Amino acid sequence: MALPLPPGLTPSEVAFLCEMELVTVIPRQRLESLQLLGGTTPALIPPYRNNIPLWLALLLKKQRRANISPPPWLTQNSLQAILDFENEHSSTFSPPPRLPPTSSSTSSISPISPPFLPSSTVDAPADALPYHWLELAEILLEAAPDDFEDADLVRRLCRDLRETRMSKLRAGVDVLEAGGGVQMNGVGGMEVAEGRSFITGVIDGLRKISASKEQARRERESDERENGYPGTQEEDEDML
Amino acid sequence: MDIDDILADLDRESTPQENLDLQSLTRSWVAERVAPELIPYPEELMERVLERIARQIEVIEEQTGSMDPKTNFKLIVIQTELERFKFLVRSFLRARIAKIDAHPLHYTNVSATTTITPSLLSLFEHQYLTAHQSLLSTHYRTSFLSQFPTQLQRLDDTTGGISMIDKPDGDAAVFVRVLRDCGVVAVEGTDVRCEMNKGDVFVVRWSAVRGRVLGGDVELI
């Protein structure tokens, strides 16, 4: 019964996560508010649009009970602008949407993060790709192509974006080193899933090669700390 | 703390417990699927989720009799969601069992020597670990270990400077997202220093961020 999968999410698990994203639907039939395990769904009354999780939207769409409004970033103009940005900046991804302000650090409630951010509803920012952009675009283009103005064009732009970003991910292998610590802001969920085994494999491999050097350095540093060298104390606290 | 933070606080406090639980369960599942070692068992969360699942199944059983097409569709939605939840719980527990199976002696030692709360293993996981391990060692002993010289029969020998007990690779690289500003995080033994600000994504050693992941400042992705 143990899960026979290596660490890291599989593409279908990433798609499962993506189906928790909120999307905006325009219902065609009434549906009362339902008490679900993950919270109550809003009552759907045509023609008022409402935000519901993607899995529910797909179910309604399949039975022609609702139409899905694509998020503003999944349109020709936005995708073209993001693609231009990706092409201009050869070493970074386009910036992700801003995380909402976090509650103060003393609060016990942990901050909200994708896939629970409303980053794919009609009110989402149009100029940033959210974490699950690729999966969401694929799913929507597959299940609801008739809700797009020009599905083929959007599909082509998504493919261009994906290729541009994948080549950046591959080029980024040069900066990998034994300690890790590589910053990858704006990377997408599916891109992480695809690159994970390779990237972590390279980092872990490099670490094993330089393990003895690192061990020596660790011993030297702890010696220095015991002898009371100033300035090393702070680093120690960070490592806790 | 500015006005945005105060508003966010109010907003979060008004979120129903069901939504919060779904979010934390999802986060725990991803963390368990990605992290190289076991993460403490979220006892209270799992209790609430399992109880809700049991109640939802009862609701479905009660309503299945009705032939009204409207109720029928509602039931489909409820059942679909139930299956999603069951998948989450199952995959989460199975990922944990896989880790327990991979390093049983290590987790026996850890759960015996530490008394931190929340505990690493749930009650059932602990039972499973002990029962499974005793079955295994009995089997090994009867089938071949008993024919070895006595000093070579142990499965958890730590003499001679080399421990027989396999440990999970605590230094494995993981992908993380920063949820709250953490300042500079250093990776021990190297020159790597990361300034972790909210919203950043890093590839970093698990050992360097472990404490922050457990504290909720950083999440695994």
Side-chain angles (χ1 to χ4, degrees), chain B:
Chain B
M1 189 160 161
D2 60 16
I3 186 74
D4 273 356
D5 291 340
I6 297 170
L7 285 175
D9 256 351
L10 285 175
D11 222 34
R12 293 292 279 157
E13 267 156 36
S14 63
T15 319
Q17 187 67 42
E18 281 92 350
N19 294 43
L20 296 180
D21 282 351
L22 173 61
Q23 288 167 15
S24 10
L25 180 64
T26 312
R27 195 172 281 168
S28 304
W29 171 64
V30 174
E32 205 58 78
R33 288 285 286 111
V34 170
E37 61 173 331
L38 272 182
I39 289 168
Y41 184 76
E43 183 97 46
E44 287 170 27
L45 169 71
M46 290 301 281
E47 233 168 67
R48 282 198 300 268
V49 169
L50 290 177
E51 197 212 293
R52 246 178 249 140
I53 288 180
R55 230 185 304 145
Q56 193 78 317
I57 291 175
E58 267 174 40
V59 170
I60 291 172
E61 280 169 357
E62 275 167 25
Q63 296 188 1
T64 317
S66 112
M67 294 312 280
D68 174 26
K70 218 171 158 193
T71 343
N72 255 338
F73 181 66
K74 269 197 273 175
L75 268 181
I76 292 175
V77 175
I78 292 176
Q79 276 174 341
T80 313
E81 209 238 0
L82 178 71
E83 287 306 320
R84 292 178 63 84
F85 250 82
K86 278 159 97 176
F87 168 76
L88 262 185
V89 171
R90 231 178 253 152
S91 180
F92 173 70
L93 294 178
R94 288 179 67 196
R96 292 178 62 87
I97 294 178
K99 288 183 191 177
I100 296 174
D101 278 350
H103 305 286
L105 291 168
H106 168 71
Y107 289 118
T108 317
N109 283 356
V110 171
S111 62
T113 50
T114 53
T115 48
I116 42 153
T117 45
S119 64
L120 195 59
L121 299 171
S122 73
L123 189 63
F124 289 121
E125 283 166 348
H126 197 261
Q127 276 172 7
Y128 167 76
L129 173 62
T130 351
H132 187 227
Q133 196 48 37
S134 71
L135 274 176
L136 258 187
S137 46
T138 322
H139 170 62
Y140 288 157
R141 202 167 306 121
T142 49
S143 51
F144 59 89
L145 273 181
S146 54
Q147 292 163 31
F148 287 5
T150 355
Q151 72 269 29
L152 296 179
Q153 283 187 6
R154 292 184 53 187
L155 285 169
D156 52 354
D157 203 349
T158 49
T159 52
I162 300 166
S163 172
M164 267 181 83
I165 302 173
D166 247 356
K167 280 199 182 81
D169 182 7
D171 284 338
V174 289
F175 284 75
V176 296
R177 185 189 295 116
V178 183
L179 298 173
R180 295 194 192 104
D181 293 352
C182 303
V184 177
V185 171
V187 180
E188 207 179 337
T190 63
D191 295 322
V192 176
R193 302 280 178 277
C194 313
E195 198 185 333
M196 294 205 169
N197 294 317
K198 195 173 88 177
D200 288 354
V201 172
F202 278 97
V203 185
V204 75
R205 273 190 204 173
W206 167 241
S207 56
V209 289
R210 188 176 180 276
R212 292 179 205 278
V213 170
L214 298 186
D217 293 340
V218 172
E219 74 169 339
L220 293 165
I221 54 172

